Amino acid sequence: MTRLLFVAPFLLAACQMDGTSPAGAPRMDQEGTCFLYVLDEGNERYTLVSGVGDGTRTPKATLKRGLTAGALDAAWAIERKTMDVNPECLAILATDRMQARPAPAPKAAAKAS
């Protein structure tokens, strides 16, 4: 019985490590990874992207566009707190405004013939 008490923490740690990248960081494309990141639109406007990985390369996400820095920070804090209590979040990948990614350039409209 005492052996089980010593082995149990190692077994639990192994379960938590399963499915992560070699560096140990969760990935957005992993099922159960909650992600939250910021896109910098320029002109001091931001987009907040959040969702839960579903095992596909590009999981579905919720976008909140055109946010000011203050509105973004408030929305980010709420989303991040929600992730801490969401049972669907098996891992969390969250970056804030200081680590914002540049927003992708809009695709050019096809020329009419």
Side-chain angles (χ1 to χ4, degrees):
M1 181 67 174
T2 54
R3 286 187 221 175
L4 181 62
L5 292 176
F6 290 113
V7 175
F10 295 109
L11 293 174
L12 289 174
C15 291
Q16 292 173 352
M17 298 279 292
D18 185 39
T20 57
S21 67
R27 298 183 326 263
M28 276 182 15
D29 62 350
Q30 286 180 291
E31 197 169 340
T33 298
C34 291
F35 58 89
L36 177 64
Y37 64 93
V38 178
L39 296 175
D40 187 348
E41 298 174 10
N43 297 327
E44 298 181 16
R45 295 289 178 186
Y46 301 91
T47 297
L48 184 63
V49 182
S50 63
V52 180
D54 58 5
T56 62
R57 184 173 165 95
T58 54
K60 293 181 182 178
T62 302
L63 303 175
K64 294 180 184 174
R65 295 193 165 136
L67 300 172
T68 63
L72 171 80
D73 292 342
W76 190 93
I78 291 168
E79 290 286 333
R80 183 62 183 89
K81 284 181 183 179
T82 302
M83 287 179 175
D84 285 334
V85 296
N86 185 348
E88 194 175 14
C89 296
L90 303 177
I92 297 173
L93 177 62
T95 56
D96 60 13
R97 185 168 45 101
M98 302 308 286
Q99 301 163 326
R101 306 172 184 185
K107 294 181 180 179
K111 292 183 180 181
S113 353

